[in-house]
Amino acid sequence: MTGPRYTPLTETLPATVPFVGPEAQERAMGHAFRARLGANENVFGPSPRAVEAIRASDADLWMYGDPESHDLRHALADFHGIRPENIVVGEGIDGLLGYLARMLVDQGDAVVTSDGAYPTFNYHVAGFGGVLHKVPYTGDSEDPAALFAKAAEVGAKIVYLANPDNPMGTWRKGADIVKAMDALPEDTLLVLDEAYVEFAPEGTAAEVDIEDPRLIRMRTFSKAYGLAGARVGYALGAEPLITAFNKIRNHFGMNRSAQIGALAALQDQDWLAQTCANVAAARDEIARIAAENGLTALPSATNFVAVDCGGDGAFAKAVLDALVADGIFVRMPFVAPQNRCIRVSAGRPEDLEAFAAALPKALARARG
Amino acid sequence: MTGPRYTPLTETLPATVPFVGPEAQERAMGHAFRARLGANENVFGPSPRAVEAIRASDADLWMYGDPESHDLRHALADFHGIRPENIVVGEGIDGLLGYLARMLVDQGDAVVTSDGAYPTFNYHVAGFGGVLHKVPYTGDSEDPAALFAKAAEVGAKIVYLANPDNPMGTWRKGADIVKAMDALPEDTLLVLDEAYVEFAPEGTAAEVDIEDPRLIRMRTFSKAYGLAGARVGYALGAEPLITAFNKIRNHFGMNRSAQIGALAALQDQDWLAQTCANVAAARDEIARIAAENGLTALPSATNFVAVDCGGDGAFAKAVLDALVADGIFVRMPFVAPQNRCIRVSAGRPEDLEAFAAALPKALARARG
């Protein structure tokens, strides 16, 4: 038996995954994490009104969701002051990044990102045979000027920029990114991933002409809205690009209750504001805990904090391993010198108490 | 502004969609359907235990779902008497068909299906540049021997066969399909779509060696389990093929509550049996209504019935249009001669009463 004939590209792809889930780690350890602070989930949870709306719709899950996500798209259009034709809803930003890569990237096509930025973007680009050109962080920030210059140099079809950045939590003013776009080739598409922008200071979101064909912005209900498990993301962009998603997307791919829950979450901006306040307090607490242990927390405009462990990547990894073994789920940047840090998601007081108790022991263990 | 550079393939793809949702029809009509009998949804709904499990997990939607769908895959493995390594869970069969097409289909590759079979499969194949070779139905049934002969003739990478069939509701014995596979080239993959198999008589599901590299079977929680809106499908196949999905799938694409709900649904086989009984009764009632109007209902092993309207495709379309205008959501086959039928999903007594009241009027309207 020879078996199925994969495409030559598929044959070359590794079976690696962007991230191992905490559940797999828990199964390997044989016990659950005491604090789940590794995946930048929003432990403060979704709006109770969203949960209520989801629960009210669960008995109707015998129906497929609306393939056009009409109600959610229209509400988002009102919210952003644009037209529904400028919005595509998808199965999280991850799903939308996959569709986008498929639409633009052929084998050998150049794509630019920062070295150490979001691995799932890289996964999708590589999955379509794209060639990734990686630009170093400047300090601990992604560098729009360097990214766009590299895009021009290699003739990139796509350049990826997260603002605020993941995994470092740093951010740029939206206006500075828009200004840097002057150097962006007109046939390079900037994917501006604003997954964490609701946590960021005023002025972080890019204010752009929605019909600018050089830009697509990614937003999500997974972070500030607390619905990671629902799988609802959306992209904002020029109508021709947004419409093109309809050529390839899984039209009936959205969970029906999730569509309804996202709409209810959007309509509860008071809860969002409360969440952002809770997250800001948690960031301060993580910084305090870091300082108490002689470590430095990086400023963050997200729902996580990169904590500089004061050594190299191997040391941070040892701290991380010790925390994980002690039941504290955290992650860390992949690339030097950012990998001197561990990345700790904003938690409830009880989560951060567990982290605070575990960190000194983890540091001691890592030190020897 | 030149805008983004799509791949040459993407440029050629139409912006058509496999199906327009009933919600779009309702928005266009300005009123809701009185009976939703067009999408082969299971109006009898999911197990109350599944709904309860989903509701209990909704507040935890701040967490991503397990990217490995570990618990569900293991339960499915027990249920089917195979190993978890032979099962991949995905965002409905539609999502899995998309991944499968991506893994196997390059531009120009031959793929075989029946003329008039599931359009979403065709959508995914065309979306990766595959060339579809279509085999006519024999009578109102897909014809395994003809499909496999065509696959051999054109060197197909994939041949698609739904058993039971959609849109006609006809079925083959699983053993007959397995026997017909003797003529299947060893490097052609048979996609056996068993989405409706729970409704079918004993012996319809194909009994095969799970490690046979020529076969992948598709199953879903959307039909008999009543969770279409949850988006949970799975594929059964040889471990190398199943593992290959990990190269490209959206690992964090599953809704967390849906994973939990599907597991609970699987564990309530009593509800499944009751649903199948309800569906069988509804099929009988649809046949009775058809006969009452001088029409012929085709035998069905699914949760829908193809009703032969006794004329050509244009006549059936006129009947369908009249039903839709009267608030009865139904669909119909796309291709002659199957398009002499309308397709009516199993409904509750009140749904079928509405259908029964609307059908004579629709026929009268179509006739003149």
mmCIF file of all heavy atoms in Angstrom, chain B residues 7 32 46 48 78 90 119 130 145 177-178 191 194 261-262 284 297 304 311 314 344 359 366:
data_model
loop_
_atom_site.group_PDB
_atom_site.id
_atom_site.type_symbol
_atom_site.label_atom_id
_atom_site.label_comp_id
_atom_site.label_asym_id
_atom_site.label_seq_id
_atom_site.Cartn_x
_atom_site.Cartn_y
_atom_site.Cartn_z
ATOM 1 N N THR B 7 -2.360 35.102 -4.573
ATOM 2 C CA THR B 7 -1.770 34.037 -5.377
ATOM 3 C C THR B 7 -2.537 33.958 -6.702
ATOM 4 O O THR B 7 -3.724 34.317 -6.758
ATOM 5 C CB THR B 7 -1.875 32.674 -4.677
ATOM 6 O OG1 THR B 7 -3.255 32.303 -4.601
ATOM 7 C CG2 THR B 7 -1.281 32.712 -3.272
ATOM 8 N N ALA B 32 -39.146 35.746 9.404
ATOM 9 C CA ALA B 32 -38.487 34.481 9.739
ATOM 10 C C ALA B 32 -39.227 33.304 9.106
ATOM 11 O O ALA B 32 -40.421 33.387 8.829
ATOM 12 C CB ALA B 32 -38.434 34.312 11.254
ATOM 13 N N PRO B 46 -29.964 18.705 20.592
ATOM 14 C CA PRO B 46 -28.959 17.892 21.272
ATOM 15 C C PRO B 46 -29.501 17.307 22.567
ATOM 16 O O PRO B 46 -30.505 17.775 23.104
ATOM 17 C CB PRO B 46 -27.841 18.892 21.572
ATOM 18 C CG PRO B 46 -28.501 20.227 21.606
ATOM 19 C CD PRO B 46 -29.679 20.154 20.679
ATOM 20 N N PRO B 48 -30.228 16.817 26.264
ATOM 21 C CA PRO B 48 -30.263 17.782 27.381
ATOM 22 C C PRO B 48 -29.006 17.699 28.245
ATOM 23 O O PRO B 48 -28.570 18.713 28.801
ATOM 24 C CB PRO B 48 -31.508 17.352 28.173
ATOM 25 C CG PRO B 48 -32.371 16.634 27.182
ATOM 26 C CD PRO B 48 -31.422 15.952 26.226
ATOM 27 N N ASP B 78 -12.638 4.942 22.304
ATOM 28 C CA ASP B 78 -13.327 3.856 23.020
ATOM 29 C C ASP B 78 -14.620 3.482 22.298
ATOM 30 O O ASP B 78 -14.925 2.294 22.127
ATOM 31 C CB ASP B 78 -13.663 4.307 24.456
ATOM 32 C CG ASP B 78 -12.430 4.371 25.334
ATOM 33 O OD1 ASP B 78 -11.371 3.836 24.917
ATOM 34 O OD2 ASP B 78 -12.504 4.965 26.420
ATOM 35 N N GLY B 90 -12.155 18.172 14.353
ATOM 36 C CA GLY B 90 -12.025 19.462 13.677
ATOM 37 C C GLY B 90 -13.314 20.252 13.681
ATOM 38 O O GLY B 90 -14.331 19.812 14.237
ATOM 39 N N PRO B 119 -21.626 20.022 -2.230
ATOM 40 C CA PRO B 119 -20.915 21.141 -2.868
ATOM 41 C C PRO B 119 -19.727 21.671 -2.053
ATOM 42 O O PRO B 119 -18.790 22.221 -2.627
ATOM 43 C CB PRO B 119 -21.985 22.236 -2.989
ATOM 44 C CG PRO B 119 -23.285 21.580 -2.755
ATOM 45 C CD PRO B 119 -23.027 20.359 -1.933
ATOM 46 N N GLY B 130 -7.782 21.895 -7.494
ATOM 47 C CA GLY B 130 -8.043 20.548 -7.977
ATOM 48 C C GLY B 130 -9.027 20.546 -9.140
ATOM 49 O O GLY B 130 -9.825 21.470 -9.296
ATOM 50 N N ALA B 145 -18.811 1.740 -7.672
ATOM 51 C CA ALA B 145 -18.028 1.106 -8.743
ATOM 52 C C ALA B 145 -17.662 2.135 -9.809
ATOM 53 O O ALA B 145 -16.508 2.198 -10.269
ATOM 54 C CB ALA B 145 -18.817 -0.059 -9.347
ATOM 55 N N ILE B 177 -19.565 -1.276 -0.208
ATOM 56 C CA ILE B 177 -18.538 -0.258 -0.489
ATOM 57 C C ILE B 177 -17.146 -0.845 -0.272
ATOM 58 O O ILE B 177 -16.231 -0.647 -1.079
ATOM 59 C CB ILE B 177 -18.768 0.988 0.399
ATOM 60 C CG1 ILE B 177 -20.060 1.694 -0.042
ATOM 61 C CG2 ILE B 177 -17.574 1.942 0.317
ATOM 62 C CD1 ILE B 177 -20.492 2.821 0.851
ATOM 63 N N VAL B 178 -17.002 -1.569 0.829
ATOM 64 C CA VAL B 178 -15.699 -2.196 1.103
ATOM 65 C C VAL B 178 -15.315 -3.137 -0.038
ATOM 66 O O VAL B 178 -14.158 -3.151 -0.489
ATOM 67 C CB VAL B 178 -15.743 -2.950 2.450
ATOM 68 C CG1 VAL B 178 -14.473 -3.759 2.660
ATOM 69 C CG2 VAL B 178 -15.951 -1.957 3.606
ATOM 70 N N VAL B 191 -12.641 9.349 0.503
ATOM 71 C CA VAL B 191 -13.261 10.093 1.597
ATOM 72 C C VAL B 191 -14.685 9.591 1.708
ATOM 73 O O VAL B 191 -15.526 9.891 0.850
ATOM 74 C CB VAL B 191 -13.259 11.610 1.340
ATOM 75 C CG1 VAL B 191 -13.922 12.340 2.498
ATOM 76 C CG2 VAL B 191 -11.847 12.104 1.125
ATOM 77 N N GLU B 194 -19.673 9.854 6.240
ATOM 78 C CA GLU B 194 -20.739 9.143 6.951
ATOM 79 C C GLU B 194 -21.480 10.081 7.916
ATOM 80 O O GLU B 194 -21.869 9.682 9.021
ATOM 81 C CB GLU B 194 -20.162 7.928 7.688
ATOM 82 C CG GLU B 194 -19.549 6.894 6.733
ATOM 83 C CD GLU B 194 -19.024 5.640 7.431
ATOM 84 O OE1 GLU B 194 -18.602 5.734 8.610
ATOM 85 O OE2 GLU B 194 -19.026 4.563 6.785
ATOM 86 N N GLY B 261 -19.425 19.628 25.129
ATOM 87 C CA GLY B 261 -20.777 19.236 24.760
ATOM 88 C C GLY B 261 -20.802 17.990 23.887
ATOM 89 O O GLY B 261 -21.670 17.121 24.037
ATOM 90 N N ALA B 262 -19.861 17.897 22.968
ATOM 91 C CA ALA B 262 -19.807 16.725 22.087
ATOM 92 C C ALA B 262 -19.538 15.469 22.905
ATOM 93 O O ALA B 262 -20.142 14.413 22.669
ATOM 94 C CB ALA B 262 -18.725 16.923 21.027
ATOM 95 N N ASP B 284 -41.459 9.190 7.818
ATOM 96 C CA ASP B 284 -42.731 8.577 7.429
ATOM 97 C C ASP B 284 -43.792 9.643 7.194
ATOM 98 O O ASP B 284 -44.588 9.552 6.253
ATOM 99 C CB ASP B 284 -43.210 7.603 8.519
ATOM 100 C CG ASP B 284 -42.338 6.352 8.590
ATOM 101 O OD1 ASP B 284 -41.568 6.121 7.629
ATOM 102 O OD2 ASP B 284 -42.427 5.625 9.593
ATOM 103 N N ALA B 297 -42.083 10.221 -2.166
ATOM 104 C CA ALA B 297 -40.912 10.429 -1.306
ATOM 105 C C ALA B 297 -39.917 9.299 -1.545
ATOM 106 O O ALA B 297 -40.304 8.127 -1.578
ATOM 107 C CB ALA B 297 -41.338 10.463 0.148
ATOM 108 N N PHE B 304 -33.428 13.529 6.348
ATOM 109 C CA PHE B 304 -34.157 14.327 5.367
ATOM 110 C C PHE B 304 -34.754 13.380 4.336
ATOM 111 O O PHE B 304 -34.378 12.207 4.259
ATOM 112 C CB PHE B 304 -33.241 15.362 4.687
ATOM 113 C CG PHE B 304 -32.063 14.752 3.982
ATOM 114 C CD1 PHE B 304 -32.176 14.296 2.665
ATOM 115 C CD2 PHE B 304 -30.841 14.605 4.627
ATOM 116 C CE1 PHE B 304 -31.087 13.715 2.020
ATOM 117 C CE2 PHE B 304 -29.759 14.026 3.982
ATOM 118 C CZ PHE B 304 -29.879 13.581 2.682
ATOM 119 N N GLY B 311 -42.005 16.493 -11.772
ATOM 120 C CA GLY B 311 -41.740 17.266 -12.990
ATOM 121 C C GLY B 311 -40.252 17.400 -13.205
ATOM 122 O O GLY B 311 -39.477 16.530 -12.782
ATOM 123 N N ALA B 314 -37.065 22.733 -13.123
ATOM 124 C CA ALA B 314 -37.724 24.037 -13.062
ATOM 125 C C ALA B 314 -39.006 23.955 -12.232
ATOM 126 O O ALA B 314 -39.325 24.860 -11.456
ATOM 127 C CB ALA B 314 -38.033 24.540 -14.472
ATOM 128 N N VAL B 344 -36.446 17.784 2.097
ATOM 129 C CA VAL B 344 -37.137 18.248 3.304
ATOM 130 C C VAL B 344 -36.518 17.564 4.525
ATOM 131 O O VAL B 344 -36.504 16.338 4.615
ATOM 132 C CB VAL B 344 -38.646 17.921 3.231
ATOM 133 C CG1 VAL B 344 -39.376 18.496 4.440
ATOM 134 C CG2 VAL B 344 -39.247 18.431 1.924
ATOM 135 N N LEU B 359 -47.601 22.826 1.350
ATOM 136 C CA LEU B 359 -47.260 22.097 0.120
ATOM 137 C C LEU B 359 -48.358 22.160 -0.958
ATOM 138 O O LEU B 359 -48.045 22.433 -2.132
ATOM 139 C CB LEU B 359 -46.887 20.643 0.454
ATOM 140 C CG LEU B 359 -46.423 19.795 -0.738
ATOM 141 C CD1 LEU B 359 -45.193 20.414 -1.426
ATOM 142 C CD2 LEU B 359 -46.118 18.360 -0.294
ATOM 143 N N ALA B 366 -46.963 26.442 -8.324
ATOM 144 C CA ALA B 366 -45.976 26.000 -9.313
ATOM 145 C C ALA B 366 -46.642 25.519 -10.598
ATOM 146 O O ALA B 366 -46.079 25.662 -11.688
ATOM 147 C CB ALA B 366 -45.119 24.888 -8.713
#
